[in-house]
Amino acid sequence: MLPVEHNDPINAKILAISEDKIEGFVREPFEEIANRSGVGVEVVMARIAAMLRAGTIRRVRQTLLATNLAEGALVAWKVPEEKIDAAFDWMFQRDPFSGHVVLRSTDTASAGSDYKLWTTVKAPQGFSLQTHCELLAKKVGAERFRLMPAKGIFTLGVGHVRRKTIEPGSKGDQPAKMIPVQRVELTEHEWDVLLALKREFTPEEVKPSPWVSRASEAGVSPEEFCRVAEDLNARKIVGRFSTFLEHVKPSVGGVRVTRFNALFHWAVPAGREVETGGEVGRHHILTHCYWREAGPEFRNVNIMAVAHGTDKRLLLEHKAAIDQHLRACEIPVSYTNVFWGGRSEIKPSEISPRVYQEWLSEQGKN
């Protein structure tokens, strides 16, 4: 039986590449992982399939820069305490357009700390995010919600295995460049390819030339499938080919990839968001960094970043190093905070207008 823990030496070499180093669309993704990890391709495929079956890897998929395909936002929800678990379950189980669903808390009562349920939500093209969240609020009994769409993306990747050894203050030589959020329209033909492209892999699909069967699913030739995928990649719609670890729950062997999930907040002067996001986003510990406007409920926070780890004290040291770097850059921070993740579930947000119309019809029946 093959080892399936993330910290097995061979698995760790594979995961250090496969988590977030395969950027864009690649015709032979498992071969690319093999070439860059130094592990034979047959071993790579066997190990990834085994970890996927065991639940160490929770999904293998081609990610998309979905912010360019659907209206999306981070949403903070104020829900009565007695309804919050049911609200969490409804968002995770019954709303395919909610992605990350997380209960968050702060170490002390602070701005926005009564917003304990946090989700990422997408509204497919042709539909309203505000209207969708109003519907969700009625379904779960939320008193208020705050929409925080991304204005710019500075960091987006996972890579938990390679981040385990990063020291506080470790950062890139240059500030992170901001990826602006801009809507892209697709044809029906492109949607057919995209929906087949983004579907999660089963263990049986971890094999050479994995896009051949997806091309058949989309009703096109393998060459046409790759041509469309490469065009979507050039248009900044395709993200990474990634293996996502189960980083919250312990594995079957009781091993955790991470234990703490920290959402860092900073409020900086208007007009300095791009500069600040670049300086924050260059820090290697961060898996996400965005420019989002959180509003007065959160003391006008406008830069947010996420870091994961197994040691809360060490994550706070990383945060302190980023704060020190901002002071050195003479960027004034009027307010900062940390929201800690508790219970969480993660799934890709659906972005298909067809699926949304079907879901909306079902809600009407209910």
Side-chain angles (χ1 to χ4, degrees), residues 31-92:
E31 195 172 292
E32 184 71 11
I33 293 166
N35 291 340
R36 295 182 61 177
S37 66
V39 179
V41 67
E42 294 297 331
V43 175
V44 164
M45 292 188 294
R47 292 296 186 101
I48 288 175
M51 286 189 279
L52 185 56
R53 287 190 178 95
T56 303
I57 291 174
R58 71 174 185 271
R59 61 179 58 93
V60 177
R61 66 185 289 259
Q62 180 71 59
T63 69
L64 307 176
L65 293 176
T67 46
N68 291 344
L69 288 171
E71 186 184 7
L74 178 66
V75 188
W77 304 85
K78 188 175 179 182
V79 181
E81 196 67 37
E82 68 275 11
K83 294 182 178 180
I84 201 159
D85 285 327
F88 181 105
D89 292 339
W90 206 97
M91 302 282 198
F92 173 60

Side-chain angles (χ1 to χ4, degrees), residues 97-322:
F97 312 97
S98 292
H100 292 58
V101 183
V102 185
L103 295 184
R104 292 194 178 276
S105 61
T106 53
D107 289 332
T108 59
S110 53
S113 58
D114 51 349
Y115 286 76
K116 297 187 184 303
L117 178 61
W118 294 66
T119 65
T120 55
V121 183
K122 298 278 192 306
Q125 291 180 10
F127 300 94
S128 161
L129 188 61
Q130 177 71 30
T131 301
H132 183 69
C133 288
E134 288 171 0
L135 173 60
L136 294 184
K138 289 179 184 174
K139 293 285 186 183
V140 305
E143 296 171 354
R144 291 174 62 84
F145 63 86
R146 173 70 192 184
L147 286 175
M148 296 172 271
K151 293 194 164 188
I153 305 166
F154 300 94
T155 301
L156 186 59
V158 190
H160 296 306
V161 168
R162 63 183 176 81
R163 282 183 170 88
K164 282 179 175 288
T165 56
I166 288 173
E167 293 292 326
S170 175
K171 58 186 181 293
D173 294 336
Q174 300 293 325
K177 285 189 167 56
M178 187 180 86
I179 303 169
V181 176
Q182 49 198 4
R183 290 284 295 278
V184 177
E185 300 289 334
L186 300 184
T187 65
E188 284 293 312
H189 180 59
E190 289 168 333
W191 272 112
D192 288 339
V193 171
L194 189 77
L195 293 177
L197 179 71
K198 76 182 184 70
R199 184 171 60 74
E200 293 177 23
F201 278 62
T202 64
E204 293 71 31
E205 290 179 303
V206 180
K207 61 185 181 182
S209 302
W211 305 120
V212 171
S213 59
R214 297 297 176 92
S216 177
E217 185 179 311
V220 300
S221 69
E223 187 56 39
E224 173 63 4
F225 184 93
C226 290
R227 184 197 69 75
V228 172
E230 286 164 352
D231 180 61
L232 295 174
N233 187 49
R235 291 160 66 189
K236 307 296 184 188
I237 293 168
V238 177
R240 293 178 172 88
F241 186 86
S242 299
T243 61
F244 292 85
L245 288 172
E246 176 50 75
H247 62 271
V248 176
K249 301 165 189 168
S251 70
V252 287
V255 178
R256 287 182 184 272
V257 178
T258 68
R259 188 176 168 205
F260 295 100
N261 160 356
L263 174 62
F264 300 148
H265 282 185
W266 292 273
V268 301
R272 301 195 72 175
E273 298 92 348
V274 175
E275 176 192 4
T276 307
E279 295 301 340
V280 171
R282 71 197 288 184
H283 285 78
H284 294 143
I285 191 62
L286 301 176
T287 58
H288 303 74
C289 181
Y290 292 93
W291 170 9
R292 300 184 187 274
E293 297 290 344
E297 298 98 327
F298 297 92
R299 290 188 56 179
N300 298 310
V301 159
N302 46 12
I303 299 296
M304 298 185 185
V306 176
H308 298 261
T310 53
D311 184 329
K312 184 176 182 179
R313 176 193 54 79
L314 184 56
L315 282 176
L316 288 173
E317 288 179 13
H318 281 287
K319 167 73 163 51
I322 298 172

